[in-house]
């Protein structure tokens, strides 16, 4: 019963938001020039979905997001396993990681524009940089969490480094890897749209900038709603993949 009530509460909250957006512009508290009623947003959204340019922009956004996320995942997992499995390497790189990780990806926008202009590579630079640290930090935490007794036992059985990584370290680190992947998926989407919005790379962010410049306010809100739905979809897919990959883990079994 409780599982059925939760979606109903979510739908009730969504309905309340729609009603609020419809009422606010007519109440005089907010000008309709800056916040059009929900009905106008809906009409703009229907018109948007009928345009080929919209679907092309959506494909551009998903392409930048998917490629950047894949590169960040591969690089983050490999780097995390290599650094985390070698204590000396972990100590040597700790200060460098802590220095580079807090740098905001948006600060690299001028560098991306200088190097690659407004094409896909600029978007990938920002997406990969932002998502990489989400994965790397989680993988390093997972490698740090490996039971030293289990690792010593594997050494006593003369297991090589690769075997210890595969059979001892990887099962411990996998929950951290999936957490990093879920966080990176959301961050990658944010940076992909930010790159399109600021740099002008093709995609939904670029369409938002064009609509804002032309004064098409309902269209701006319709595009923003699309990006919000896209973010929810990315999060749901990431959680589904996480549950699938960790079906054996006690946290997933307890949740089920």
């Amino acid at each position: 019963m409780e599982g059925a009530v939760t979606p109903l509460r979510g739908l009730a909250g969504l309905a309340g938001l729609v009603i609020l957006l419809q009422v606010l512009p007519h109440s005089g508290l907010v000008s309709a020039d800056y916040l059009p009623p929900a009905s106008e947003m809906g009409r703009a959204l229907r018109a948007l979905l009928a345009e080929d340019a919209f679907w092309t922009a959506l494909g551009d956004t998903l392409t930048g997001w998917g490629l950047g996320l894949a590169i960040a995942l591969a690089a983050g997992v490999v780097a995390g396993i290599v650094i985390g499995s070698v204590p000396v390497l972990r100590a040597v790189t700790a200060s460098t990681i802590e220095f580079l990780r807090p740098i905001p990806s948006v600060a690299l926008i001028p560098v991306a524009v200088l190097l690659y202009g407004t094409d896909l590579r600029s978007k990938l630079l920002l997406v990969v940089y932002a998502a990489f640290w989400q994965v790397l930090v989680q993988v390093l935490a997972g490698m740090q969490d490996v039971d030293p007794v289990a690792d010593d036992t594997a050494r006593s059985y003369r297991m090589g480094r690769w075997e210890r990584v595969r059979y001892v370290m990887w099962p411990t680190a996998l929950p951290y890897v999936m957490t990093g992947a879920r966080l990176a998926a959301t961050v990658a989407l944010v940076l992909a749209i930010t790159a399109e919005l600021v740099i002008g790379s093709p995609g939904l962010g670029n369409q938002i900038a064009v609509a804002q410049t032309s004064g098409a306010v309902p269209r701006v809100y319709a595009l923003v709603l699309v990006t919000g739905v896209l973010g929810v979809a990315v999060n749901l897919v990431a959680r589904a993949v996480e549950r699938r990959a960790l079906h054996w883990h006690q946290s997933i079994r307890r949740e089920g």
Side-chain angles (χ1 to χ4, degrees), residues 145-157 159 164 167-169 172:
D145 199 38
V146 172
D147 187 356
V149 175
D151 192 35
D152 290 341
T153 302
R155 291 176 185 272
S156 68
Y157 279 97
M159 295 177 66
R164 286 189 289 112
Y167 296 111
V168 179
M169 299 177 183
T172 302

Side-chain angles (χ1 to χ4, degrees), residues 235-248:
N235 187 58
L236 290 175
V237 171
R239 286 187 176 276
V241 172
E242 183 179 21
R243 286 194 295 270
R244 179 77 173 180
L246 298 177
H247 62 89
W248 51 271

